[in-house]
Amino acid sequence: MNSGRRGRRKNLAPIRDLSRGEAGREQGVRHLVVCEGERTEKAYFKSYIRIKLKDTLLDIDVQHSSGDPLEYVRAAIRGKAIAQRAAKRERDDNLKCDQVWCVTDVDTHRNLPEARVLARRNEIRLVVTNPCFELWGILHLAGCTGHLSSADAAEKLREYMPKYDPKKNKEFQHELMEGKYAIARSRALALGIKHEGDGSPVGSNPSTDVYLLVDELIAGARRVRDAGQDGYFGL
């Protein structure tokens, strides 16, 4: 992550023309999000973000995949192809995926570079958090600039979200995150700037670019609802 990425849409497939489709039918924007975590990540996007954007025509299909980043990307490719076939069969562009995303940790995965290449070839965005997705929750409630292991991140998150339990309840306390998306995003961007200033590689520990996905979800919701609306829909 670096400062040149701030606020930019990069390497995204163009969103289809919303004027197309059956006469008289409203057109929406559909995102497929494939997550590594069955509890934490999936609950964040499916139970929190999707609910926050529920009054729009934005459709967020959140799926879980097990394995490693390469398998997550492969699952996303399959999901994208299934949606395209369904759209062709039903003659309904609403069934197509406008954007496809994979959400993964760095953790101990060794094939992340290969996953990045495969994702890029298939116009799939790979969202990475180093060391793990718990960092994104932490940034809503506190700054975090020191190196973390996954265990460190879970322990630190529990300091701010007492109900979070890495063994029993791995979901974020979403009520504690209300109205704090902007500061979490700012802290994530600041980490990228810090690593760049230190001469550290992009995506060094700690870092996250989850905000890139959330920004696109917000932009899609705004586009089909009210192009002039400000704010983050209560995030």
Side-chain angles (χ1 to χ4, degrees):
M1 181 167 52
N2 58 50
S3 58
R5 297 168 70 176
R6 285 175 287 173
R8 289 166 46 184
R9 298 177 73 251
K10 186 178 179 181
N11 299 327
L12 293 177
I15 292 178
R16 58 193 159 79
D17 183 358
L18 298 187
S19 65
R20 290 190 292 141
E22 298 176 9
R25 177 163 182 185
E26 291 183 293
Q27 298 291 294
V29 175
R30 188 179 186 207
H31 293 256
L32 171 62
V33 180
V34 177
C35 299
E36 172 178 0
E38 188 172 9
R39 293 289 298 280
T40 315
E41 291 95 318
K42 189 174 181 179
Y44 174 72
F45 289 107
K46 189 173 183 177
S47 302
Y48 183 60
I49 297 297
R50 192 163 69 178
I51 288 173
K52 288 294 181 181
L53 304 179
K54 66 180 179 180
D55 292 331
T56 73
L57 290 174
L58 180 73
D59 179 16
I60 310 173
D61 182 6
V62 185
Q63 300 179 7
H64 162 69
S65 178
S66 58
D68 55 44
L70 204 53
E71 183 52 40
Y72 310 149
V73 175
R74 289 168 178 157
I77 293 171
R78 292 192 295 269
K80 182 179 180 180
I82 289 170
Q84 288 174 331
R85 288 196 295 270
K88 184 176 181 180
R89 182 177 63 251
E90 301 296 330
R91 299 181 180 180
D92 184 356
D93 276 355
N94 274 324
L95 299 178
K96 291 181 179 179
C97 296
D98 292 287
Q99 293 179 13
V100 183
W101 301 77
C102 287
V103 180
T104 184
D105 299 342
V106 168
D107 205 9
T108 58
H109 296 312
R110 297 181 179 179
N111 61 3
L112 194 53
E114 293 90 341
R116 289 187 188 279
V117 171
L118 184 61
R120 187 164 52 249
R121 286 175 179 169
N122 289 274
E123 295 186 319
I124 292 170
R125 292 298 302 273
L126 197 60
V127 170
V128 181
T129 302
N130 190 354
C132 57
F133 194 74
E134 280 74 6
L135 174 65
W136 179 239
I138 292 169
L139 294 180
H140 282 74
L141 303 171
C144 182
T145 58
H147 187 282
L148 293 169
S149 67
S150 293
D152 292 335
E155 183 178 347
K156 190 174 182 66
L157 178 62
R158 198 169 185 180
E159 292 178 16
Y160 300 106
M161 296 186 183
K163 294 181 182 179
Y164 171 86
D165 186 329
K167 294 183 179 179
K168 297 180 181 179
N169 179 21
K170 296 188 69 175
E171 291 187 19
F172 289 158
Q173 286 183 249
H174 297 140
E175 70 277 10
L176 299 180
M177 302 167 70
E178 289 283 341
K180 297 177 181 176
Y181 172 69
I183 192 167
R185 182 182 187 277
S186 177
R187 285 168 173 158
L189 286 166
L191 286 174
I193 295 170
K194 176 183 181 297
H195 292 316
E196 185 177 35
D198 293 342
S200 302
V202 171
S204 292
N205 185 321
S207 66
T208 181
D209 51 13
V210 173
Y211 65 89
L212 293 175
L213 170 50
V214 180
D215 278 357
E216 284 298 320
L217 295 176
I218 292 168
R222 182 178 293 140
R223 183 168 182 264
V224 296
R225 178 182 173 184
D226 182 358
Q229 183 164 345
D230 295 325
Y232 285 99
F233 292 85
L235 291 171

